[in-house]
Amino acid sequence: VKDGSWTVLQLVEALGSCLENADPRTRGRGIQLLSQVLLQCYSLLQEKEVLHLVLFYENRLQDHHLVIPAVLQGLRALSMCEVLSQGLAVSVLKAIFQEVHVQSLLQLDRHTVYSIITNFMDTREEELKSLGADFTFGFIQVMDGEKDPRNLLVAFQIVRDLITKNYALGPFVEELFEVTSCYFPIDFTPPPNDPHGIQREDLILSLRAVLASTPQFAEFLLPLLIEKMDSDLQSAKLDSLQTLTACCAIYGQKELQEFLPSLWSSLRREVFQTASEKVETECLAALHALSACLSCSVLSSDTEDLLDSFLSSILQDCRHHLCEPDMKLVWPSAKLLQAAAGASLRAYHHVTHSVLPLLLEQYNKHLQSSQRRTILEMLLGFLELQQKWGHVEEDENTLLLLQAPVCSVVFSALTDPSVQLQLVGIRALTVLGSLQGFVSPSDLELVVDHLIRLALCEEDSQSSEAAMEAAGSLAPIYPKVFSGRMVPRLEEELQSERDEESSRNHCSLRQCCLQALAAVSTHTSIVRETVPVLLQHLRKVQKGSEAGNVQDIVSVCQSLHRVALQCQQDAEGCWYYHQTVVPCLLAKVQAATQESTHPLLGKALLEEEVLAAMVAVISAATTHLSPELAAQSVAHVVPLFLDGEVSFLPQNSFPCSFQPFEDREHLEAQRRLVALLMAFVCCLPRNVRCCSGNCPFTATTAGKCFAGLVNKHPAGQQLDEILQLAVNRMEPGLAEGPRRMQALTLLLWVTKALVLRYHPLSSHLTDKLLGLLGDAELGPAVADGFSLLMAESPDVLHKGCHADVRIMFRQRFFTDNVPKLVQGFHGAGPDVKANYLKGLVQGCWLLTSPVSSHSQLLSLLLEALSCSDHVVQLSTLSCLQPLLPEAPQIMSLHVDTLVTKFLSLTSSPTMAVRIAALRCAHALTSLPTTVLLPYKARVIRALARPLDDKKRLVRKEAVAARGEWFLLGSPGR
């Protein structure tokens, strides 16, 4: 049929003897063959052929029940034909509705009927609508009694389409509701290993979409929901509440009016009485939706305002509880009122007109801090609702009328001795400040003064941190006030001199000032004020001679780092920060390398801790630069390090040149600054181009720097030449000499850079690393390096600094290299077997989907435990101990072998192996209790022996492990 040598009608004629056979099974097989052909060839059929086939199949619907499944398959194929004549879709459905008792069919055949209906609804909508309500009635008969979840998903979608596409429901609205609502609430648990993947949530959402699709269901649905809200089943409550919320989106005042008292009664009862946070949350959401629905209803002149009466009922039942801040119903009442008030501005005005004066009165009436805190938290909830509507309008706004008493209450909380009340006051202050037009200029100055006082509060860090966060939130709204009032005050405190007795307190105060300056730097105009203050303080502490000098510099850098992070989303502020801070830091550290020949450790600015803090600052200052601005910066920074070009640095009068890449002993200090170059180039956008010593810190940062460059460099001849040059330099260094470790560091970082981007050379470099696992000197470091290859690096080579990171790179690396590691393990000598084992562990355990890799690795570890060499045993146990709690499911499958091996090794002649075996036996207790209980008695008996070990450390581990096994299965463990 497909190649045109036969037509379908010729096939029917050829099948004539089968199709007319007296045996229904034979007829069924003939029709089945024809239907299978049609399912593959329906798009090739002509209109006349489709007409004859439809008539044939309709007639066969009256045939024996054994034939019906094959007939339905044929009709499904015909329902997908584009050349189906007008009226045939109606004819087919009428025949199915009349001749087929659908619910007596098997699941697959029922699904076929639903598919036929769906196909026709998608392509023959107008034809089906010509049937009027008869189509709806026919479908109700088809669906009535359906139980299979696969079919229900399709049936629910058909019902939803009937409603949303405006098919005629006629007098069958209630019947359609009944045939779907009988499944509410859904009670379905998928069988284990269900291949169809249908979840309870799928059915819930599909049914909810039906029930909440039309207001015509309201009179039947709302009583059902009220009934199910009173159910003892939490799932039924939640489903009912979520369905009510969904219905409110399409209901109006008319649908809700009759049921509002009952709905409010059920919601109030649940919130007042439930112990479930989920139920409470859904109740509040439903109340919010009801209030929103009533708020949106269009009122005629003679219609009662249901919103007004509904809110009045809520106020009547809840308002008096707000006067009892120590009683248990105060918070449920406040939440109900806030849920209703948050639905619309009209609802908010109605509720707050009654509630806000009461809360202010109660605050002043109660003097205990705990009671005041409760009242202020309720007040805060209503203030936060006002934020939804932004600017405070004068018209009908209760909040604006109460401006003075509200501010008075909040300011009093800020001066209260109770830290918890202060914290609520700070949150309220932040909300008030965010309401444009609410806080007067004089009050705004008072706000800033309070925030300064609390931010510099050394006695309590909570209030201090909260005040700084509040200042950061409000500063972008009132930049002039904060830059003109807060920044000068903080600068004054920072620069003030204190006597020796108060030096310790002054140090704490300095820290608070630095943190506050960073916190308030959330607007470009403020950043232009705070950054010079921070840099000036850096100059001051750099010249100091006190013991805490390094920590002081780190603190300034941490504040600068926070400012950099806050500038990143603002292009103007980001560029100002970068061109102000980065040259200043580079100038200071470069000057420190040339001021004198004092020992390196005497230079605070060149300490690793300080340089690491500066790395974070420069990285954050560079990451979000536009490519154009980044290129401008490259033109200055790269020549500084390569050519010693210092002209762009502030105060650039230096007595000697800057040559950090020169291999001379007296330039050791300069080489440390390669870390700052790394921070810069590794955070540049990918399309910005930049054209080793004895110190491990320098070697590592230089390796990272080079790796960051080659990871982003465009593929092509230039990159290949750079990589070949690097390989040519690395290979002699790895072979012999005093700098093997530095060469390995570079090899690891370059390999990582290429593995991330799937570069072809990565395989060659990885093989080089695999070969070095057998090296007695470098092998252990290479094994550790596999963790570096697979883990995400926090400072370079991640997507945040524009690195080229391909998806699934870990899985690809694992697939390519684990067989080589396993082969190397089996062929290695006993002195280096541990290296291969450790490399496997480091790589496999970082995979995101590790089940297969973990199983393979575990088999290898168990094999290694049988090795007689104590070095391999010790390495294997060291690998296993941290893995036991990380993969309990896989470990549980091998628990019998693990228990046997660990207990055996507790008698090893090597003390370190005995200790490691006992630690592993201890770690076994992290596996599921049900898995371990059969071994409990055996393990406790076996661990009695090492309690008498001649070594104290062994006895100590035995006591700890045996104690955990004794407690296994105990109540509360």
Side-chain angles (χ1 to χ4, degrees), residues 912-928:
V913 173
R914 298 200 300 277
I915 291 174
L918 288 166
R919 286 175 177 167
C920 286
H922 189 166
L924 271 176
T925 59
S926 62
L927 301 187

Side-chain angles (χ1 to χ4, degrees), residues 565-643:
L565 295 175
Q566 291 165 180
C567 287
Q568 287 180 340
Q569 303 308 318
D570 175 65
E572 180 190 350
C574 186
W575 179 234
Y576 164 78
Y577 181 92
H578 181 89
Q579 64 181 354
T580 304
V581 174
V582 173
C584 182
L585 294 183
L586 292 175
K588 290 187 179 306
V589 292
Q590 194 227 12
T593 66
Q594 303 189 29
E595 283 175 354
S596 69
T597 56
H598 287 178
L600 180 61
L601 295 178
K603 304 274 192 169
L605 281 173
L606 300 176
E607 290 286 352
E608 288 188 17
E609 189 179 358
V610 172
L611 289 175
M614 288 186 177
V615 163
V617 174
I618 294 174
S619 296
T622 306
T623 302
H624 284 67
L625 287 181
S626 68
E628 296 76 20
L629 295 177
Q632 288 184 38
S633 195
V634 166
H636 294 302
V637 176
V638 173
L640 168 68
F641 281 87
L642 295 184
D643 307 321

Side-chain angles (χ1 to χ4, degrees), residues 89-103:
V90 169
S91 175
V92 169
L93 290 180
K94 278 185 174 180
I96 291 174
F97 293 160
Q98 184 175 341
E99 303 296 344
V100 182
H101 184 243
V102 176
Q103 289 306 314

Side-chain angles (χ1 to χ4, degrees), residues 640-685:
L640 168 68
F641 281 87
L642 295 184
D643 307 321
E645 177 54 61
V646 298
S647 59
F648 86 104
L649 298 179
Q651 302 170 351
N652 59 345
S653 54
F654 303 112
C656 64
S657 61
F658 181 59
Q659 299 171 316
F661 292 107
E662 288 292 322
D663 189 11
R664 299 176 192 169
E665 188 175 347
H666 72 278
L667 296 178
E668 175 70 19
Q670 292 188 12
R671 283 198 292 273
R672 297 175 75 81
L673 304 194
V674 172
L676 305 185
L677 178 64
M678 172 205 77
F680 177 73
V681 299
C682 290
C683 290
L684 290 169

Side-chain angles (χ1 to χ4, degrees), residues 754-769:
L754 300 183
V755 165
L756 290 177
R757 63 180 287 179
Y758 291 177
H759 191 279
L761 187 61
S762 62
S763 299
H764 172 71
L765 298 185
T766 305
D767 289 342
K768 175 72 70 177
L769 288 172

